[in-house]
Amino acid sequence: MRLRALLDTDALGLRLLGGEDELDRTVRGVMTTDLRDPSRYLSGGELVLTGLAWRRDAADSEAFVRLLVQAQVAALAAGEAELGNVPEDLVVACVRHRLPLFAVHESVAFATITEHVVRQVSGERAGDLAAVVDRHRRMMTSGPAGGGPDVVLDLLGSDLDLRAWVLSPTGRLIAGPKEAGPGLPADTCAKLAAEHLAAARTGRRGPHRVTLGSSAYSLFPVRSSGRSPQASRDVRETVLSDWLLAVEADAGDWPEERLDLLRGVTQLIAVERDRRDAARTVRRRLAQEVLELVQTGAAPAEIAARLRVAAPVLLPGLGAAPHWQVVVARVEWQDGGLEGGPVAQSLLEEILVDPSATGPEPSDRIAVAHTGDEAIALVPLPAVSTEHEGSESGLLADALLESVRDPLSAGLDDDGRVTLGVSASVHSAEGLRGALEEARHARRVAAARAGRVCAAGHQELASHVLLLPFVPDDVRRAFTARLLDPLRDYDRRHRAELIPTLEAFLDCDGSWTRCATRLHLHVNTLRYRVGRIEQLTSRDLSRLEDKLDFFLALRMS
């Protein structure tokens, strides 16, 4: 705003004492001070308000005005409440240095002037920024990208003093302001994503307001630029794939103009999101072609030829053929009315990104196809050297879900599940069919577990324990009751602790000495308890078969 506009506002009670030729100066902010030297707190363009408490004698005015001019402030406004009329020496100093000087009537509070200036400057900045955003959106829609989300986030920071970040649905940081200072911690990103997904599932219109610690955030959904908020028939189709804009501010009392501006920003970011999705089309097509060849039993040579085409796209400059892992994911909803494959595809593309990676395109080495409710990822790995051939390498199931479990659980609410299986790495086309079946079986193991978000890896498929979830419930109950109910009944009547003794005995591989030490019992007491277990169940704990039956019964109970 211009100084002239301040003088024309009667409610502010300002009188011009000098600087009439400078009234077209622009005011960019306001500061109230009684410091003798406030220059360290000035950045230029401010209207400085002062009660003159810094002035002890006439000589002080010259020094004070000189400091303000060096800091390139717009004008000085002196209050009349303390000294009555503004001292003549201050008027002379301002005229000498061509600094506009206003007198503030004693009936006008500095807070009134401050509020007016802030409101006017903020409104003008918002209008300027809206024009920039609109121009930037037209440029990005009609031609090459104009810098991506970072550019508009920097505009929000510089013109509206708003810090904002673009987050993925799992809380991965995609873009943020470039100014110095602390960024947004990973756990805060995850919590904001979880709050956003939970609010989106209720169908409430954004922004969603959240308070974490002492900071307030407003969360704006970033939807596809070609889709209105009502275009999707079911929120579950996109809730696990839409980005969000997190603004460090409480938008609850914002005027509609500012809310519209932020929604315009999300539309601009959505253009970048659509560009990223378009770039994924090639990788998705490659994955779909390889998957169809593998599932139809194509010759290994044909699959290998397709992999040779995929490798340079997914791992440019690698040179040698990589190892591959297969990851299978499934998104299921209780009512069964929504196909989960496309949702699982977008979600798997996000989950497979390193959580420490930033930016919109760190997933350019991931190819994901989908069929029905299932998504299948073909993940290339650099070839494993000979000396490390037997070591653990590649993706681990639990690690994939560690940082995204809470946000996904919020997005799934009470009616959805995500299950995921990971294969071991293979180094040839011949191994891909087995890797696919291995990943699918691992996913079925994960699906047999409790929880909204579950994963299993190839390491778990080497244990007999994986068979337990597939035992029918009625068989499981009959088997455990026949073996364990006599012991439970005896423990209830005599407090004999036969069940804990049995667990410890099996855990110690049948070693009398180690088991007695663990339970703090004499060996003879332990032998008595084991004998009672054998008597009540008609089993012999020296036989491997009976030990295994007890072990399985305890696991299934």
Side-chain angles (χ1 to χ4, degrees):
M1 66 178 301
R2 308 263 183 201
L3 288 174
R4 191 179 307 279
L6 287 174
L7 193 61
D8 293 340
T9 305
D10 295 337
L12 300 182
L14 298 178
R15 289 186 299 110
L16 182 65
L17 301 181
E20 186 174 359
D21 295 338
E22 305 293 333
L23 290 180
D24 287 327
R25 288 188 183 186
T26 299
V27 179
R28 295 187 176 87
V30 62
M31 177 189 179
T32 299
T33 183
D34 277 315
L35 295 174
R36 295 172 66 85
D37 180 4
S39 58
R40 74 186 73 179
Y41 305 110
L42 298 169
S43 57
E46 292 93 349
L47 170 66
V48 175
L49 304 175
T50 180
L52 301 176
W54 49 267
R55 183 182 178 278
R56 294 184 176 85
D57 54 48
D60 291 338
S61 294
E62 173 70 20
F64 184 77
V65 170
R66 188 185 305 114
L67 289 169
L68 297 186
V69 171
Q70 290 172 354
Q72 298 182 330
V73 304
L76 174 65
E80 296 179 325
E82 186 70 24
L83 301 179
N85 292 333
V86 176
E88 184 64 24
D89 49 88
L90 181 59
V91 176
V92 171
C94 287
V95 170
R96 181 182 300 117
H97 291 281
R98 302 181 63 82
L99 179 66
L101 175 63
F102 297 98
V104 182
H105 193 272
E106 62 180 357
S107 64
V108 178
F110 282 176
T112 301
I113 300 175
T114 299
E115 182 180 352
H116 177 81
V117 171
V118 169
R119 185 167 57 250
Q120 293 298 315
V121 170
S122 179
E124 290 177 4
R125 284 181 176 177
D128 293 342
L129 181 58
V132 172
V133 168
D134 184 63
R135 182 170 64 251
H136 200 66
R137 181 167 59 246
R138 290 197 302 270
M139 289 173 57
M140 291 183 69
T141 304
S142 60
D150 298 302
V151 173
V152 73
L153 297 185
D154 287 341
L155 286 172
L156 286 176
S158 62
D159 284 27
L160 290 185
D161 297 324
L162 291 176
R163 293 212 307 163
W165 300 264
V166 180
L167 305 178
S168 78
T170 62
R172 181 173 61 86
L173 182 63
I174 291 171
K178 296 179 180 178
E179 85 284 356
L184 202 61
D187 61 336
T188 300
C189 290
K191 290 176 182 177
L192 291 176
E195 293 283 353
H196 170 73
L197 290 176
R201 284 303 308 272
T202 67
R204 287 190 286 118
R205 185 170 183 249
H208 311 303
R209 293 148 59 198
V210 179
T211 300
L212 297 180
S214 59
S215 299
Y217 298 89
S218 297
L219 310 178
F220 294 79
V222 177
R223 297 185 173 91
S224 171
S225 59
R227 176 167 56 86
S228 68
Q230 292 79 28
S232 176
R233 292 188 301 273
D234 193 322
V235 68
R236 296 174 299 178
E237 294 179 23
T238 57
V239 70
L240 299 181
S241 59
D242 278 346
W243 288 355
L244 67 137
L245 176 69
V247 181
E248 191 176 18
D250 187 344
D253 57 354
W254 282 6
E256 192 61 31
E257 293 80 4
R258 178 169 284 208
L259 290 174
D260 285 342
L261 172 60
L262 267 294
R263 293 186 185 112
V265 169
T266 65
Q267 294 171 12
L268 180 57
I269 295 169
V271 174
E272 182 66 26
R273 171 66 190 270
D274 291 346
R275 291 185 185 280
R276 188 205 66 161
D277 286 345
R280 283 183 168 178
T281 302
V282 173
R283 298 192 297 275
R284 287 175 171 178
R285 187 169 62 246
L286 284 172
Q288 198 73 43
E289 291 174 356
V290 173
L291 174 64
E292 290 175 0
L293 290 174
V294 170
Q295 293 192 122
T296 56
E302 187 177 357
I303 300 174
R306 179 52 56 188
L307 288 177
R308 282 194 294 273
V309 174
V313 175
L314 300 177
L315 286 177
L318 184 66
H323 286 209
W324 303 89
Q325 271 183 287
V326 176
V327 182
V328 173
R330 195 177 183 95
V331 175
E332 298 172 292
W333 308 100
Q334 282 184 359
D335 59 18
L338 179 66
E339 184 180 0
V343 179
Q345 182 181 42
S346 297
L347 187 58
L348 197 50
E349 286 170 335
E350 173 62 32
I351 290 174
L352 290 174
V353 177
D354 182 346
S356 64
T358 59
E361 274 297 338
S363 56
D364 57 358
R365 296 182 177 183
I366 299 166
V368 184
H370 77 82
T371 173
D373 287 332
E374 186 180 67
I376 301 167
L378 187 65
V379 183
L381 305 170
V384 182
S385 60
T386 305
E387 63 268 24
H388 296 101
E389 192 73 41
S391 62
E392 194 64 55
S393 61
L395 303 172
L396 299 177
D398 288 339
L400 286 176
L401 294 182
E402 183 176 354
S403 62
V404 302
R405 192 179 303 275
D406 290 344
L408 289 184
S409 297
L412 294 164
D413 199 13
D414 291 329
D415 62 343
R417 287 196 79 201
V418 170
T419 52
L420 183 145
V422 182
S423 78
S425 61
V426 295
H427 63 277
S428 66
E430 290 87 346
L432 273 181
R433 186 175 181 84
L436 175 58
E437 292 306 316
E438 188 175 54
R440 281 175 167 163
H441 191 59
R443 193 209 62 79
R444 287 193 291 270
V445 171
R449 295 171 176 166
R452 291 283 168 199
V453 183
C454 298
H458 62 91
Q459 305 92 336
E460 300 172 68
L461 303 187
S463 170
H464 61 276
V465 177
L466 71 90
L467 300 173
L468 300 184
F470 303 103
V471 177
D473 287 343
D474 54 346
V475 175
R476 184 189 304 229
R477 285 191 294 268
F479 182 75
T480 57
R482 187 165 56 251
L483 276 177
L484 301 183
D485 279 2
L487 305 183
R488 293 192 180 112
D489 291 342
Y490 191 86
D491 279 348
R492 213 163 21 244
R493 294 196 309 269
H494 302 284
R495 298 183 181 179
E497 297 189 353
L498 295 186
I499 292 289
T501 300
L502 176 61
E503 290 175 333
F505 186 72
L506 294 174
D507 196 40
C508 292
D509 299 322
S511 169
W512 298 98
T513 303
R514 282 195 289 127
C515 184
T517 300
R518 175 182 293 191
L519 296 175
H520 306 289
L521 297 175
H522 192 279
V523 172
N524 288 340
T525 303
L526 176 61
R527 289 185 184 277
Y528 172 81
R529 288 188 183 180
V530 171
R532 179 62 65 184
I533 292 170
E534 293 174 334
Q535 179 185 13
L536 290 170
T537 60
S538 301
R539 296 297 183 109
D540 183 355
L541 278 169
S542 65
R543 297 177 68 248
L544 177 60
E545 295 91 336
D546 288 342
K547 285 181 182 177
L548 182 58
D549 282 348
F550 276 122
F551 174 81
L552 294 175
L554 288 169
R555 281 300 184 99
M556 288 191 294
S557 63

